Amino acid sequence: MKYLKRLAIPCLLMGLSMSAITVAIPSLNSAIAQTSSSSTVGFIQAPRLVSADTNALDTNIRNAIYSFQISVPAQAGASLAKVTIAPKDPIEPISFSSNRTTAYIQEPSGDRTNVETKTATDPNTRAVSVIFTSPIPVGKTVVIGLRPVSNPSLEGEYVFGVNAFADAQRSQGAFIGYGRLGIYNAYISDVFVPTF
């Protein structure tokens, strides 16, 4: 009987602990589900950054276009309203001409449909926000063309983080990948080779 009394309190405490864990697990699962669902922020399936490219790889070149191709899957659950393209630890800051941004829907047939945009650049982060006047429908691919004032003077790989937004007013979007552009110095100085 003594032993039973001694066991009663630890068993009671263990029962209370198990109850607390049982109550905590659903709320923990809910928090995890909320975190994973917020990773696509407004999309059932987030858009995908297909490629990043430029028509001018040389340093200091003007009239370059940095193209970012983004696919909005048929299962996205929402149209693409806005994209932000932000430099990540750039070797040299790049300034973009906001009024020269272009965008078009690329059809599988090769046809292009121009899309009107509004572009703004954050002066602190240099992130470029491209808002589509008419959001890009699901199942479509859009190509955004950013125009730097000029290519940087320092060569290297320039990396841009791309986020997609189902709602242009949201402050947080779904991260869809990094675009990498290689900028190189094409001018090689003559090397003096001695003649003997």
Side-chain angles (χ1 to χ4, degrees), residues 79-154:
S79 298
L80 177 63
K82 181 176 86 169
V83 170
T84 61
I85 300 169
K88 179 175 171 29
D89 304 324
I91 302 163
E92 178 183 326
I94 301 173
S95 297
F96 291 96
S97 301
S98 296
N99 60 344
R100 297 175 64 214
T101 298
T102 58
Y104 59 85
I105 292 174
Q106 179 70 63
E107 300 291 354
S109 63
D111 292 340
R112 297 177 175 183
T113 306
N114 289 333
V115 178
E116 286 188 27
T117 62
K118 294 177 184 174
T119 306
T121 303
D122 184 311
N124 299 318
T125 64
R126 293 184 181 266
V128 179
S129 295
V130 180
I131 300 170
F132 303 107
T133 305
S134 297
I136 310 302
V138 298
K140 297 292 184 182
T141 296
V142 65
V143 178
I144 298 168
L146 296 184
R147 294 177 182 262
V149 174
S150 75
N151 271 357
S153 59
L154 297 175

Side-chain angles (χ1 to χ4, degrees), residues 10-85:
C11 287
L12 180 63
L13 290 174
M14 184 184 278
L16 289 171
S17 297
M18 292 303 286
S19 298
I21 290 168
T22 306
V23 169
I25 286 174
S27 59
L28 181 62
N29 286 341
S30 170
I32 290 168
Q34 197 171 18
T35 303
S36 62
S37 67
S38 69
S39 64
T40 52
V41 193
F43 296 106
I44 293 170
Q45 184 178 338
R48 183 172 64 93
L49 177 63
V50 178
S51 65
D53 200 2
T54 178
N55 66 337
L57 301 172
D58 299 340
T59 55
N60 295 312
I61 292 289
R62 291 185 174 273
N63 298 320
I65 302 173
Y66 296 175
S67 300
F68 296 84
Q69 185 175 15
I70 298 165
S71 173
V72 185
Q75 302 78 20
S79 298
L80 177 63
K82 181 176 86 169
V83 170
T84 61
I85 300 169

